[in-house]
């Protein structure tokens, strides 16, 4: 039972580079989310998806792009990484609203 | 941006103490309220999801109540243990979950 997996676990990149963080879930959950964790801000929503090919912005979407061509995958791309995007990124999924959210293990991203 | 507030920001208690925290959220267009437990170096794990006004949930020594009309939820921990030390998050669910900043609980042995 793999659940929800994120890769890579750790990533170091340079400003201006494109970076893609991967998220894969095996439950066929409809909803998937990307959050970033920052000191003093808690978890902030970047993007979410209600189903394949349906995505919407969260609280802090600038500088990020998502896609969801398949239900099980929800990659997050930083088009041109900036130092302010250094953070821990969590992917999460749930079957539908009002049900529990399941989190991946997180990706620690450092932009130098 | 939805405003989800948690208080206190942090809390230190002694082993055996009972404690509670508050989550405030918008009272309009309510769908569900979640509570999560987040231990250091791990991922958040769900405790409860509550959907009805007056809902009460219990899991061992942890319980939660919900008041959707006034927009608040309480999380209670009875007889705190050191292993209860964690950050407790609430999240307002209106199809996308908006989290509060959490309450950091430290239980001293």
């Amino acid at each position: 039972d793999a659940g929800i997996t994120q890769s890579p676990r750790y990533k170091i990149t340079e400003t201006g580079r494109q970076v893609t963080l991967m998220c894969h879930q095996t439950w066929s959950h409809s909803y998937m989310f990307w959050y970033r964790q920052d000191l003093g801000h808690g978890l902030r929503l970047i993007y979410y998806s209600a189903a394949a090919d349906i995505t919407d912005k969260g609280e802090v979407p600038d500088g990020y792009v998502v896609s969801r061509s398949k239900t099980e995958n929800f990659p997050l791309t930083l088009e041109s990484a900036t130092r302010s995007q250094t953070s821990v990124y969590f992917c999460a999924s749930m079957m539908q609203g009002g049900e529990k959210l399941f989190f991946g293990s997180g990706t620690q991203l450092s932009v130098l | 941006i939805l405003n989800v507030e948690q208080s206190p920001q942090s809390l230190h208690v002694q082993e055996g103490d009972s404690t509670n925290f508050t989550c405030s959220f918008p009272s309009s267009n309510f769908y569900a309220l979640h509570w999560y437990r987040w231990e250091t170096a791990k991922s958040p794990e769900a405790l409860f999801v509550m959907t009805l006004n007056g809902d009460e949930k219990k899991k061992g020594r942890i319980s939660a109540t919900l008041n959707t009309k006034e927009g608040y939820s309480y999380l209670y921990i009875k007889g705190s243990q050191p292993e209860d030390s964690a950050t407790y998050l609430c999240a307002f669910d209106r199809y996308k979950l908006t989290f509060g900043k959490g309450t950091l609980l430290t239980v001293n042995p």
Side-chain angles (χ1 to χ4, degrees):
Chain A
D1 185 0
I4 181 166
T5 55
Q6 291 184 235
S7 61
R9 188 76 175 87
Y10 303 94
K11 177 73 177 178
I12 299 174
T13 191
E14 296 177 338
T15 55
R17 290 192 181 263
Q18 185 179 80
V19 178
T20 296
L21 309 184
M22 304 302 292
C23 180
H24 175 79
Q25 51 104 355
T26 60
W27 295 305
S28 298
H29 283 174
S30 297
Y31 285 82
M32 295 188 76
F33 304 81
W34 276 106
Y35 290 91
R36 58 178 289 173
Q37 175 201 1
D38 301 293
L39 198 63
H41 292 281
L43 289 172
R44 291 185 292 175
L45 182 64
I46 304 170
Y47 270 95
Y48 72 104
S49 169
D53 297 321
I54 301 175
T55 62
D56 204 353
K57 296 178 181 179
E59 184 183 351
V60 288
D62 293 345
Y64 303 95
V65 174
V66 293
S67 63
R68 194 159 176 215
S69 57
K70 293 184 178 180
T71 298
E72 60 267 29
N73 296 323
F74 191 40
L76 176 73
T77 298
L78 288 66
E79 294 185 296
S80 178
T82 65
R83 290 195 180 89
S84 65
Q85 291 178 311
T86 293
S87 186
V88 179
Y89 292 83
F90 285 97
C91 179
S93 72
M94 69 182 183
M95 178 55 76
Q96 59 188 29
E99 297 198 3
K100 293 179 181 180
L101 193 62
F102 293 88
F103 285 84
S105 299
T107 294
Q108 190 169 313
L109 175 67
S110 296
V111 183
L112 306 178
Chain B
I1 297 174
L2 296 173
N3 199 25
V4 180
E5 300 284 343
Q6 290 189 247
S7 61
Q9 192 172 2
S10 64
L11 195 56
H12 290 254
V13 301
Q14 291 299 123
E15 183 175 353
D17 288 350
S18 292
T19 187
N20 65 86
F21 338 123
T22 304
C23 174
S24 301
F25 52 85
S27 56
S28 60
N29 297 322
F30 178 84
Y31 189 76
L33 191 283
H34 299 228
W35 281 100
Y36 291 81
R37 170 191 163 88
W38 194 3
E39 293 182 71
T40 303
K42 294 186 178 181
S43 301
E45 292 186 348
L47 288 171
F48 308 114
V49 180
M50 295 185 288
T51 57
L52 299 175
N53 185 44
D55 233 356
E56 292 188 27
K57 300 274 188 179
K58 188 174 182 181
K59 184 177 182 179
R61 294 179 291 99
I62 304 176
S63 60
T65 61
L66 178 68
N67 183 322
T68 61
K69 293 184 179 180
E70 296 184 38
Y72 65 85
S73 176
Y74 294 135
L75 187 78
Y76 301 91
I77 302 179
K78 184 177 178 181
S80 302
Q81 299 297 309
E83 56 265 31
D84 295 328
S85 297
T87 296
Y88 292 83
L89 299 170
C90 70
F92 182 70
D93 181 351
R94 197 185 284 171
Y95 304 103
K96 58 179 180 179
L97 272 71
T98 300
F99 282 84
K101 294 180 181 179
T103 293
L104 174 61
L105 174 67
T106 303
V107 183
N108 299 311

